[in-house]
């Protein structure tokens, strides 16, 4: 009788099992504190409004990465609330499917774009999935596990719910092939498309010269993307020697911005000209000064430097994060996102700027193919290192110290080290 009752209940609820299941995730506990805690197992509903999400799926997380934008929150540089489950870079296996999902199936291994998009609004239909109008009541655009991004639970966890699954998810064509390249494919949810977007919006093309500010994982992904796009010379600037060495390991030229030498002069030593065709900001609002000011935070430093060294008529891609509220900023203006930009210089040189979230879906399928067919080894370029879920707090600490690594969290022990 009990067995029959279970079958009837299962049939009524679309074949789902409602047995209690456990879940753990990485939780922000205040500035410079993250913990791995027990969290709710996801349901097919919005975690704040409780609105049903039968268009969604639940993923068993195969890989989820620590991102530099997570680090901004963990350092206390945003208004992120204590108790926020972190993580927006998610690769997983589908374990439960909502009744309105038609094309994604249980057992599929998928990449999840960090931007959540409905697929129905004017922005989504125009391909601007980073600024979907229907997934965040407070502003355009949403993301998993991020402050002011709609309240969606983060994916640095064992399981996570993904809404609008048919529209959002990128299914890998062959599960075994995907698992053999999973460290590279895990970077499709954010960092690789974001770096590539920075390169594309900067106008990178065969034979051009590029300067990239920042040798963190996004900067390294942007540099690898510039090579993929055919750039003649890719120059990466940073003050972290380990990260600069990582950039040189795959053919980049480098500039140590802590040296008290003007950037145009340093570029001239490499290119025999003080300007580049294209520039990419992979630092964002926690930028530091150059030369003798490199220990001091100067939020507009990178943008002003890039306007100086980009040729007239050139373009600057800005995947680096800038925020509307920064409680830890160096001055009152910067606390509300107001920076001292030399916009007159940019105007005089007719420089094009592109800001905002990368629309991941614009790029992720083609970049997946570039990985699967060995046109790029992005995990090697960014020095990806696999860690367990329990090692995530240590990963955050090491990343904050400037480790030249991209940490990929493996919640279920499914990845090869």
């Amino acid at each position: 009788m009990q067995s029959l009752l279970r079958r009837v209940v299962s049939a009524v609820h679309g074949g789902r099992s409602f047995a209690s299941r456990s879940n753990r995730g990485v939780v922000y506990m205040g500035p410079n504190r993250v913990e791995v805690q027990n969290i709710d197992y996801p349901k097919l509903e919005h975690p704040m409004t409780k609105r049903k999400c039968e268009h969604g799926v639940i993923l068993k997380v195969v890989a989820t990465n620590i991102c530099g934008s997570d680090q901004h929150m963990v350092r206390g540089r945003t208004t992120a609330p204590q108790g926020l489950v972190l993580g927006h870079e998610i690769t997983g296996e589908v374990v439960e499917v909502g009744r309105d999902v038609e094309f994604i199936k249980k057992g599929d291994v998928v990449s999840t774009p960090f931007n959540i998009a409905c697929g129905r609004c004017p922005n989504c239909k125009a391909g601007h999935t980073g600024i979907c109008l229907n997934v965040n009541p407070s502003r355009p655009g949403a993301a998993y596990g991020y402050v002011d991004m709609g309240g969606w639970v983060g994916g640095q966890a064992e399981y996570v719910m993904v809404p609008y699954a048919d529209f959002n998810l990128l299914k890998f064509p062959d599960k075994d092939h995907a698992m053999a390249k999973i460290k590279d494919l895990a970077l499709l949810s954010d960092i690789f498309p974001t770096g590539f977007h920075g390169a594309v919006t900067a106008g990178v093309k065969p034979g051009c010269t590029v300067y990239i500010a920042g040798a963190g994982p996004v900067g390294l992904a942007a540099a690898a993307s510039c090579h993929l796009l055919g750039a003649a010379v890719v120059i990466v600037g940073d003050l972290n020697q380990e990260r600069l060495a990582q950039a040189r390991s795959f053919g980049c030229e480098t500039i140590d911005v802590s040296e008290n030498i003007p950037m145009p002069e340093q570029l001239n030593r490499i290119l025999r000209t003080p300007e580049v065709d294209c520039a990419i900001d992979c630092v964002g609002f926690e930028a530091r000064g150059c030369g003798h000011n490199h220990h001091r935070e100067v939020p507009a430093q990178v943008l002003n430097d890039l306007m100086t060294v980009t040729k007239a008529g050139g373009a600057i891609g800005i995947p680096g994060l800038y925020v509307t509220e920064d409680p830890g900023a160096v001055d009152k203006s910067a606390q509300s996102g107001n920076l001292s930009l030399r916009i007159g210089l940019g105007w005089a040189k007719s420089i094009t700027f592109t800001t905002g979230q990368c629309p991941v879906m614009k790029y992720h399928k083609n970049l997946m193919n570039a990985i699967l067919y060995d046109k790029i080894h992005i995990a090697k370029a960014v020095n990806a290192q696999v860690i367990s879920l329990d090692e995530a707090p240590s990963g955050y600490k090491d990343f904050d110290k400037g480790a030249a690594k991209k940490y990929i969290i493996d919640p279920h022990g499914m990845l090869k080290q």
Side-chain angles (χ1 to χ4, degrees):
M1 178 63 71
Q2 288 180 344
S3 176
L4 176 61
L5 180 61
R6 280 196 298 270
R7 288 198 299 271
V8 170
V9 171
S10 178
V12 169
H13 293 287
R16 299 180 203 147
S17 170
F18 281 81
S20 176
R21 301 192 67 174
S22 63
N23 193 21
R24 296 191 306 149
V26 180
V27 181
Y28 172 66
M29 299 300 294
N32 301 307
R33 287 184 57 214
V34 298
E35 296 178 2
V36 178
Q37 297 183 356
N38 292 322
I39 62 174
D40 290 340
Y41 187 83
K43 299 178 182 179
L44 292 174
E45 65 181 25
H46 189 285
M48 294 179 67
T49 66
K50 304 304 179 184
R51 179 171 57 87
K52 294 297 182 183
C53 295
E54 293 292 348
H55 46 68
V57 301
I58 293 174
L59 299 183
K60 177 182 180 180
V61 177
V62 173
T64 176
N65 316 326
I66 297 175
C67 180
S69 54
D70 295 324
Q71 201 71 60
H72 292 308
M73 288 191 293
V74 171
R75 282 197 286 259
R77 297 300 297 268
T78 72
T79 55
Q82 183 174 322
L84 180 71
V85 180
L86 299 168
H88 56 270
E89 301 190 18
I90 308 163
T91 306
E93 180 180 357
V94 178
V95 295
E96 184 176 330
V97 178
R99 69 166 180 261
D100 296 335
V101 178
E102 295 186 70
F103 307 112
I104 296 295
K105 305 299 181 184
K106 186 175 179 180
D108 288 346
V109 177
V110 295
S111 178
T112 308
F114 77 91
N115 0 67
I116 301 170
C118 72
R120 298 157 169 81
C121 73
N123 284 349
C124 285
K125 289 179 179 179
H128 305 308
T129 52
I131 44 173
C132 174
L133 300 175
N134 289 332
V135 288
N136 185 351
S138 60
R139 64 170 71 178
Y144 304 90
Y146 209 85
V147 60
D148 296 330
M149 284 287 124
W152 302 92
V153 176
Q156 288 175 12
E158 293 171 334
Y159 297 90
V160 68
M161 194 276 285
V162 175
Y164 305 105
D166 280 330
F167 183 67
N168 283 294
L169 294 176
L170 174 67
K171 177 185 173 181
F172 300 141
D174 181 87
K175 186 173 182 178
D176 292 337
H177 192 191
M179 291 306 296
K181 293 182 175 289
I182 196 64
K183 285 203 296 184
D184 295 275
L185 295 172
L187 305 178
L188 286 172
S189 55
D190 180 358
I191 177 178
F192 188 14
T194 292
F196 192 83
H197 180 63
V200 169
T201 55
V204 175
K205 57 187 177 183
C208 72
T209 59
V210 190
Y211 175 67
I212 299 170
V218 171
L220 296 172
S225 298
C226 290
H227 286 148
L228 186 64
L229 289 166
V233 184
V234 180
I235 305 167
V236 180
D238 206 300
L239 48 78
N240 182 313
Q241 297 304 313
E242 186 181 356
R243 289 180 171 181
L244 290 175
Q246 179 62 26
R248 289 192 293 270
S249 74
F250 60 95
C252 299
E253 301 288 339
T254 59
I255 286 178
D256 181 352
V257 298
S258 69
E259 292 185 5
N260 197 25
I261 302 171
M263 188 172 294
E265 185 177 332
Q266 294 205 59
L267 290 176
N268 192 63
R269 292 177 178 180
I270 298 169
L271 299 172
R272 298 182 179 85
T273 179
E275 292 184 324
V276 291
D277 299 316
C278 318
I280 308 172
D281 174 4
C282 295
V283 177
F285 72 100
E286 288 192 63
R288 296 187 175 274
C290 293
H292 63 273
N293 283 328
H294 74 273
H295 293 297
R296 186 167 65 92
E297 193 166 299
V298 184
Q301 180 75 52
V302 168
L303 291 172
N304 287 331
D305 284 345
L306 297 190
M307 284 188 278
T308 299
V309 302
T310 302
K311 72 177 184 180
I316 300 174
I318 310 174
L321 176 66
Y322 289 86
V323 295
T324 55
E325 293 181 87
D326 175 9
V330 293
D331 57 53
K332 189 172 182 179
S333 293
Q335 288 176 5
S336 57
N338 293 309
L339 309 182
S340 298
L341 290 178
R342 291 189 67 196
I343 194 65
L345 176 62
W347 191 93
K349 296 176 73 174
S350 294
I351 291 173
T352 300
F353 301 83
T354 301
T355 66
Q357 291 184 26
C358 164
V360 171
M361 278 189 274
K362 183 176 181 178
Y363 307 106
H364 65 175
K365 183 177 180 181
N366 288 342
L367 295 180
M368 174 189 73
N369 287 333
I371 289 169
L372 293 176
Y373 294 103
D374 293 319
K375 296 301 181 184
I376 191 167
H377 301 282
I378 190 66
K380 184 177 180 180
V382 302
N383 196 23
Q385 178 174 320
V386 177
I387 60 175
S388 69
L389 186 64
D390 289 314
E391 291 174 312
S394 295
Y396 270 97
K397 290 179 181 178
D398 290 343
F399 191 31
D400 190 47
K401 293 175 184 176
K405 298 174 181 177
K406 174 68 174 179
Y407 288 105
I408 298 177
I409 300 170
D410 177 10
H412 296 278
M414 299 175 71
L415 308 188
K416 295 180 180 179
Q417 301 291 324

